[in-house]
Amino acid sequence: MSEKIIAGNWKMNKNRNEALDLVSSVLQDLPDTSTKVIFAPPYLYLEEVARMCADFSNVKVAAQNCSHFDKGAYTGEISAQMIASVNADMVIIGHSERREYFGEEELILSEKVNKALKYNLQPIYCVGESLDQRKAEEHFDIIENQIAKALFHLDEENMKKVVIAYEPVWAIGTGETATPEQAQKIHAFIRKLLTDQYGEEIAKSISILYGGSCKPANAQGLFAQQDIDGGLIGGASLVAEDFVKLIEMRS
Ligand code: PEP
């Protein structure tokens, strides 16, 4: 069975004090749940956030990116090994903002996935179509391509460790959300791709998250869908009360 997950992607927000305050507030009000809760703060705070979460077995810490190189003369880069060494558990790979602003494409993203797995970090691999691609009805092809090229070289053992996040680009940070039906259609499509490639048992064990302006006001319908295992949350993860509410709703 796939895990229920609520993951907060803070992006480039919060100074150190604000970051630690946010984590304390969420942990203080954390519902008694088996839902996996993930904080993805900026790199700088990973170690401290991981320390704060160490006693909560269902709370994990993720980086927002990692280098596709192992180590060496790559000024400004952060490797998967470094991330693992400060006790983070996971890493977001292929967020649409990385694809759009930093030109990351599947070839590099598949290497990032490999590096994450090499150092025992669970990848949260993001996919999603732009508004133009949806209008042109290309969204299924785009998503198939994003998944096949970056993930389908993995063997079964490694594939089982991957979490997939469907994030329609037109819904990220825009206030626009996919309707529960639109989101479910894509999630079911992703589950089918996984089934065709790895079989039903593995496909059912992989968590597929929805992301894109998901907040307490619209999460109920999304989380009620059969193939939506949880959310990758941007804006609403920056407000402790909203993030806790989303955890409650997914519990
Ligand atoms: C995200 O960045 O992953 C995201 C879903 O952002 P928001 O919730 O703000 O749309």
Side-chain angles (χ1 to χ4, degrees):
M1 269 295 279
S2 53
E3 281 181 307
K4 293 180 185 177
I5 296 177
I6 293 291
N9 172 18
W10 298 2
K11 313 190 186 191
M12 199 172 71
N13 291 297
K14 306 280 180 196
N15 66 28
R16 180 179 171 279
N17 287 344
E18 291 165 347
L20 303 187
D21 277 355
L22 175 56
V23 175
S24 298
S25 303
V26 172
L27 293 179
Q28 205 175 323
D29 293 334
L30 198 66
D32 184 14
T33 176
S34 59
T35 294
K36 191 167 181 172
V37 175
I38 301 166
F39 292 109
Y43 289 128
L44 274 176
Y45 317 136
L46 283 173
E47 184 167 10
E48 230 165 334
V49 173
R51 203 175 301 128
M52 292 170 80
C53 297
D55 291 339
F56 297 80
S57 59
N58 62 323
V59 181
K60 304 291 174 195
V61 178
Q64 297 172 16
N65 179 32
C66 69
S67 177
H68 60 293
F69 296 114
D70 235 333
K71 64 174 181 176
Y74 303 105
T75 303
E77 283 287 84
I78 305 278
S79 71
Q81 189 181 25
M82 292 171 185
I83 294 165
S85 76
V86 296
N87 297 321
D89 311 279
M90 309 180 80
V91 55
I92 298 173
I93 292 173
H95 191 281
S96 63
E97 288 150 14
R98 300 288 323 165
R99 292 175 189 262
E100 183 179 350
Y101 305 132
F102 302 94
E104 294 185 3
E105 289 178 348
E106 276 66 40
L107 192 61
I108 280 186
L109 297 175
S110 70
E111 256 323 297
K112 292 187 183 215
V113 168
N114 293 343
K115 292 294 181 270
L117 291 165
K118 179 175 173 187
Y119 293 103
N120 287 324
L121 294 171
Q122 236 189 312
I124 304 170
Y125 179 66
C126 303
V127 298
E129 79 286 359
S130 67
L131 188 56
D132 285 348
Q133 289 163 339
R134 179 162 275 264
K135 281 186 184 155
E137 296 190 5
E138 293 167 357
H139 40 300
F140 291 106
D141 288 345
I142 294 288
I143 282 150
E144 179 166 1
N145 193 49
Q146 290 172 337
I147 289 183
K149 284 200 175 148
L151 298 180
F152 281 177
H153 63 287
L154 297 176
D155 63 19
E156 293 184 355
E157 277 320 297
N158 276 315
M159 189 63 209
K160 281 197 251 177
K161 297 174 189 158
V162 176
V163 172
I164 295 176
Y166 167 57
E167 301 206 304
V169 178
W170 47 272
I172 297 182
T174 57
E176 285 270 337
T177 325
T179 64
E181 294 71 27
Q182 281 173 322
Q184 166 59 21
K185 243 190 202 170
I186 301 283
H187 282 237
F189 174 70
I190 294 172
R191 192 87 66 196
K192 168 88 169 53
L193 291 176
L194 297 173
T195 305
D196 291 348
Q197 189 71 17
Y198 292 97
E200 198 176 340
E201 198 184 324
I202 290 181
K204 280 189 173 161
S205 75
I206 293 173
S207 298
I208 309 175
L209 313 182
Y210 170 78
S213 299
C214 182
K215 46 186 183 278
N218 59 25
Q220 199 174 9
L222 291 160
F223 293 168
Q225 301 303 310
Q226 189 182 340
D227 290 292
I228 299 184
D229 297 303
L232 178 55
I233 315 295
S237 74
L238 299 172
V239 180
E241 206 184 331
D242 288 350
F243 196 55
V244 167
K245 189 101 219 294
L246 286 164
I247 298 166
E248 278 165 4
M249 294 172 79
R250 182 63 299 196
S251 294

